[in-house]
Amino acid sequence: KNASAVIAALLLSMPVFIQQAGTIFVDTFFTFTFALVIYFLQEITKNPHEKSNVCFFGLALGLFIGTKYLGLVYGIIPLIIFLVIQLRQKTSRLQIICLSFISIFLTGAFFYVRNWINASNPIFPAEVKIFGYTLFKGYPVVADNLARSTIFNNLPNLTTAKAFLKDFFIMTDIPGLLVFLCFLSLPIYLIYALKKKQKSLLDIWTVVSLIMGIIALFILYLKAPYSYRDLIHNIRYAMPFLLAVSVATGFLISRLGKIRPFFYIAALLAC
């Protein structure tokens, strides 16, 4: 409980979260629903056949992808983890998976269905292409404009890279730096866990999922439309990524008993 409280304090004391709390933007709610997705995913890991957890996971994921378009992409990561958990089970897999998708549809479908009816494209004005074939038409110039507005497409410019690092530090500050250092320590913990036979398979699976999921979220953030435009303001698009890094920090600290008091002191100073 102490570790959870400290991690929450670190996350919420980052300037990007403090700034968003008093605005009309939906990013704080968007990130909160992602926290619920992670929580219920954790509960499903403990008991994959508990239907109430599956329903709440689906409802939370639906809210997440229904709040912002970015959730449609970010949400793929917890959904893949959920499917892997279920496909490893021997019974009730299909029933549980169907239940989760019905729950996702209940809270996440409205805006996409409305777009589909009004514009014949669920994610209008963006265009959807598969293997060169246009599945859904959007505005012809949108794809190029969106590509130019991402951090990813502008990073090769050294000036952009420096501006990004500067603005990202301004909006995450010392609490952000602390959780990033903890995240960078996760591979070391993974090596240690693999060498120590007494470490559970669940611990190893959790670390691998966290590392891969967080890297994927960061890449998706860099490729998010408009992330480069108004760079410092749109660090808010990284809030789900920052949440995931904080969760990883909490996991790591909960496993390192002797170091924990020193982390608490560092976290207090950071906040």
Side-chain angles (χ1 to χ4, degrees), residues 4 31-47 52-54 56-57 60-61 78 85 243 247:
S4 297
T31 309
F32 172 67
T33 55
F34 193 52
L36 288 177
V37 170
I38 293 171
Y39 172 75
F40 287 113
L41 192 58
Q42 171 186 276
E43 295 305 299
I44 289 167
T45 306
K46 294 175 187 175
N47 187 354
S52 61
N53 288 331
V54 172
F56 283 121
F57 167 77
L61 186 56
I85 292 168
L243 169 68
V247 170

Side-chain angles (χ1 to χ4, degrees), residues 16-17 19-21 23-35 64 67-71 74 221 233-241 243:
V16 64
F17 281 87
Q19 184 192 67
Q20 287 302 309
T23 69
I24 60 169
F25 296 109
V26 298
D27 298 272
T28 306
F29 176 78
F30 180 63
T31 309
F32 172 67
T33 55
F34 193 52
F64 180 63
T67 304
K68 277 177 87 92
Y69 277 137
L70 287 176
Y74 289 171
Y221 158 60
H233 176 68
N234 286 336
I235 300 293
R236 62 197 173 99
Y237 294 162
M239 287 167 72
F241 159 73
L243 169 68

Side-chain angles (χ1 to χ4, degrees), residues 58-128:
L59 293 170
L61 186 56
L63 277 176
F64 180 63
I65 67 175
T67 304
K68 277 177 87 92
Y69 277 137
L70 287 176
L72 199 60
V73 183
Y74 289 171
I76 291 172
I77 297 165
L79 186 60
I80 288 173
I81 295 171
F82 168 76
L83 291 173
V84 169
I85 292 168
Q86 294 304 327
L87 291 173
R88 292 181 72 234
Q89 307 306 310
K90 293 180 180 178
T91 58
S92 305
R93 294 185 302 183
L94 186 59
Q95 184 184 13
I96 293 293
I97 290 171
C98 288
L99 185 62
S100 68
F101 276 93
I102 290 168
S103 300
I104 292 168
F105 185 84
L106 286 174
T107 50
F110 173 76
F111 292 103
Y112 299 102
V113 172
R114 186 181 68 176
N115 246 9
W116 205 335
I117 294 168
N118 290 344
S120 302
N121 179 351
I123 58 169
F124 186 81
E127 190 172 74
V128 181

